[in-house]
Amino acid sequence: MNPTKNDLPSVKRIALAKLLNAALADLIDLQLQAKQAHWNVKGPHFIGLHELFDSVYEEVSEYVDTVAERAVAIGGTAEGTIDVVGKRTKLDAYPTDITSGQDHVNALSSALAGVGKTVRAAIDRSNELGDADTADLFTEVSRGIDKKLWFVEAHLQGDT
């Protein structure tokens, strides 16, 4: 850990930095999956999905930065290299051979749901460690991920 005057005990800051970096890996993977969908979507709903997937990328990019900066603020190191992300992400690999809007909606909604589940567990763990600030950060991320999941999943329902 890096020196800091943050009053959280060192043992808790170590656990929190690990928790934040685990979430960071999933968020960076989700960010890249959203861009993959954005670049490669085809079909009758192209423009709407193309723009939706880009909005997922942009919002998740903000969460990536917020989570990484929190890890550093508590004395940790943000570990967001592609090598680290590849080893740590809990998300399934995004298929690179799909083009249809529905296939991308299915794949990206699964990734969003996976990150949502992980982040909700991180809220609980942050609270157990006595860090309301990190729990609040994860709560903000959870609300945003759930909203984007709703937007993406809406394309799986009703008329297609």
Side-chain angles (χ1 to χ4, degrees):
M1 295 295 288
N2 297 303
T4 179
K5 293 179 183 175
N6 184 300
D7 68 342
L8 287 168
S10 179
V11 67
K12 289 185 177 188
R13 289 186 295 108
I14 290 168
L16 288 160
K18 184 177 179 180
L19 184 66
L20 287 156
N21 275 302
L24 182 62
D26 287 351
L27 286 164
I28 291 171
D29 191 4
L30 176 60
Q31 176 186 38
L32 294 172
Q33 289 190 26
K35 207 48 136 163
Q36 180 71 20
H38 166 80
W39 290 325
N40 292 290
V41 67
K42 305 268 190 276
H45 304 288
F46 164 77
I47 196 63
L49 291 174
H50 179 75
E51 291 174 355
L52 174 60
F53 298 155
D54 206 35
S55 76
V56 171
Y57 170 83
E58 290 171 4
E59 188 163 325
V60 172
S61 294
E62 292 177 23
Y63 301 144
V64 164
D65 199 46
T66 300
V67 168
E69 288 177 353
R70 179 67 182 162
V72 176
I74 63 169
T77 300
E79 300 169 351
T81 66
I82 197 70
D83 183 56
V84 170
V85 171
K87 289 176 184 170
R88 290 190 184 155
T89 185
K90 293 178 214 77
L91 299 183
D92 291 335
Y94 197 86
T96 58
D97 61 344
I98 59 176
T99 58
S100 85
Q102 286 303 104
D103 288 345
H104 281 293
V105 165
N106 276 317
L108 191 57
S109 63
S110 292
L112 283 159
V115 170
K117 181 178 181 179
T118 297
V119 170
R120 277 186 290 284
I123 295 166
D124 294 339
R125 183 67 181 132
S126 298
N127 280 322
E128 289 169 8
L129 290 166
D131 185 7
D133 293 335
T134 299
D136 184 59
L137 180 152
F138 281 129
T139 300
E140 175 189 349
V141 172
S142 176
R143 276 193 303 269
I145 294 295
D146 283 352
K147 186 173 182 179
K148 286 301 183 186
L149 175 59
W150 167 44
F151 286 2
V152 173
E153 275 186 326
H155 294 275
L156 295 173
Q157 303 161 359
D159 296 335
T160 55

